[in-house]
Amino acid sequence: LALGVAAVLAPVLLLPGMAWGSAGRLHAVRYPADWMTARQLMDSDRQPGTVLLLPWAQYRRYPWNGGEAVFDPWSRLLARAVISNDALMVGNQAIGQESAASIRLNRVIARPGPLTGALTAAGVRYVVVDAGPLLGQAHAGAGDLAAAARLPGARLVMASPDLVVFLLPGRPT
């Protein structure tokens, strides 16, 4: 009996902040409606191909999440395979990438110039870009957004204040 009581009380006594949700700081965040629209758009497409996330970073800070650093959620939102930079940054030091697709595409993304052909050849169908940095670079239409994202020839399928989604031309291999 004493062991059972100790097992129940130990977490509360040792980690009191967790017992109360870190004093209200832990709470669920709803994804914006445009994220759910993008999810439906990509998941309803019957054509094969993966999704690539840009900018090429594992952790993000979204305005709708209060600017808190989060592990990019797209890989859990989509039914499609998602490729992102899975290298972990610890200060200025990068701990190596793990997925073969991330390692292969890191070389492509690190080089200057257009990405469209290499990404299509790698089987990428969609590219999801955080809108903030991209919208700050392009000023007019879809062609400017594609050029700013280094995706000439890509078709803009969705643009919102949160994200931009491109469909790459051709069929992924």
Side-chain angles (χ1 to χ4, degrees):
L1 179 64
L3 185 58
V5 171
V8 170
L9 290 178
V12 175
L13 295 174
L14 296 174
L15 301 168
M18 293 304 291
W20 304 109
S22 290
R25 290 186 354 187
L26 295 179
H27 59 280
V29 174
R30 291 187 185 269
Y31 294 110
D34 54 353
W35 278 54
M36 296 299 100
T37 301
R39 174 188 183 193
Q40 181 180 11
L41 181 142
M42 289 182 274
D43 280 349
S44 66
D45 182 354
R46 300 260 184 236
Q47 295 297 319
T50 58
V51 176
L52 180 86
L53 303 179
L54 293 175
W56 195 237
Q58 185 175 28
Y59 285 88
R60 314 257 186 218
R61 293 184 185 273
Y62 299 109
W64 51 264
N65 189 31
E68 295 291 329
V70 296
F71 184 79
D72 197 293
W74 281 106
S75 61
R76 288 163 182 78
L77 277 176
L78 293 173
R80 288 180 181 271
V82 175
I83 302 170
S84 64
N85 182 353
D86 61 2
L88 178 62
M89 292 300 294
V90 179
N92 293 338
Q93 182 71 29
I95 310 293
Q97 295 164 289
E98 294 179 4
S99 78
S102 178
I103 293 167
R104 186 175 58 251
L105 290 178
N106 188 59
R107 294 182 201 117
V108 171
I109 293 168
R111 291 190 307 248
L115 300 172
T116 311
L119 294 181
T120 301
V124 175
R125 181 156 177 82
Y126 289 97
V127 178
V128 176
V129 184
D130 287 350
L134 182 61
L135 293 176
Q137 294 176 25
H139 302 291
D144 286 345
L145 285 174
R150 299 173 46 204
L151 299 168
R155 182 167 59 101
L156 177 68
V157 293
M158 184 179 166
S160 77
D162 289 323
L163 59 96
V164 179
V165 179
F166 294 99
L167 174 65
L168 297 183
R171 297 202 58 172
T173 56

